[in-house]
Amino acid sequence: MIITLVVLGLLVLTTIQIYNKLIRLRNNAREGWSGIDVQLKRRADLVPNLVTTVKGYANHEKQLLEDITKLRSESIAGQSIPDQAKTADELGRSLKRLMVVAEAYPDLKADKNFLKLQEQLSEIENTLQKSRRYYNGTVRELNIKIESFPSNLIAGIFSFEKFEFFALTDDSDRMVPEINLS
């Protein structure tokens, strides 16, 4: 009888420990997503100022500016993680194209407001990259725990679900850039 109670007690304690670990990992993943969300919002908030500044110099880049404005609107709309990742990547690529366009306008490149916006955008992109790494790391740990025995039993009982990774959606982002020094 005592052995049965000890085994049952250990089983209950193990279940509690695994459950609490799953809760901590899920909350870490949510916190990681929150960090990404904040950076995406900061970037989206910067877009109107950037578009307005460039518009004054590059009137014939109207389509690019309209695309950026549209992607900004989509990026702040509630979406699933994979959809938001796709929109964020598209907006990032469009902003990179905008910076390339800006190279053709010496007056724009010298504009203090543009330079400040460009610096802020660079800072946001660096922070966003760090946030993505943190989020994906916490998601990896949570998903491993959800799939591993015996925690998968507890995860199933309490309906824990795997999280989606915030992944690159464009294969060109994965390619190594070609460097030609000749």
Side-chain angles (χ1 to χ4, degrees), residues 74-121:
E74 289 176 12
S75 75
I76 57 178
Q79 299 176 339
S80 66
I81 291 173
D83 290 342
Q84 196 159 3
K86 183 176 185 268
T87 302
D89 284 347
E90 289 175 12
L91 180 58
R93 280 192 305 280
S94 293
L95 290 171
K96 286 176 189 172
R97 281 198 329 260
L98 182 65
M99 292 303 148
V100 169
V101 166
E103 293 293 321
Y105 299 92
D107 292 341
L108 175 60
K109 287 188 340 187
D111 183 278
K112 289 180 185 177
N113 190 35
F114 178 76
L115 291 173
K116 183 179 175 187
L117 291 169
Q118 193 175 28
E119 182 180 312
Q120 288 174 336
L121 183 61

Side-chain angles (χ1 to χ4, degrees), residues 133-148:
R133 277 197 311 262
Y134 175 76
Y135 171 76
N136 284 336
T138 60
V139 166
R140 180 191 65 239
E141 294 302 315
L142 174 63
N143 291 349
I144 288 171
K145 197 73 168 170
I146 287 173
E147 293 176 347
S148 300

Side-chain angles (χ1 to χ4, degrees), residues 13-31 138-163:
L13 287 175
T14 301
T15 300
I16 291 170
Q17 181 185 20
I18 291 172
Y19 177 81
N20 288 339
K21 175 82 172 179
L22 288 166
I23 292 291
R24 185 173 53 76
L25 290 170
R26 183 174 64 190
N27 287 337
N28 285 349
R30 287 178 178 163
E31 174 196 7
T138 60
V139 166
R140 180 191 65 239
E141 294 302 315
L142 174 63
N143 291 349
I144 288 171
K145 197 73 168 170
I146 287 173
E147 293 176 347
S148 300
F149 182 81
S151 56
N152 63 340
L153 300 174
I154 307 303
I157 291 168
F158 292 103
S159 302
F160 280 86
E161 294 182 9
K162 291 172 44 176
F163 276 50

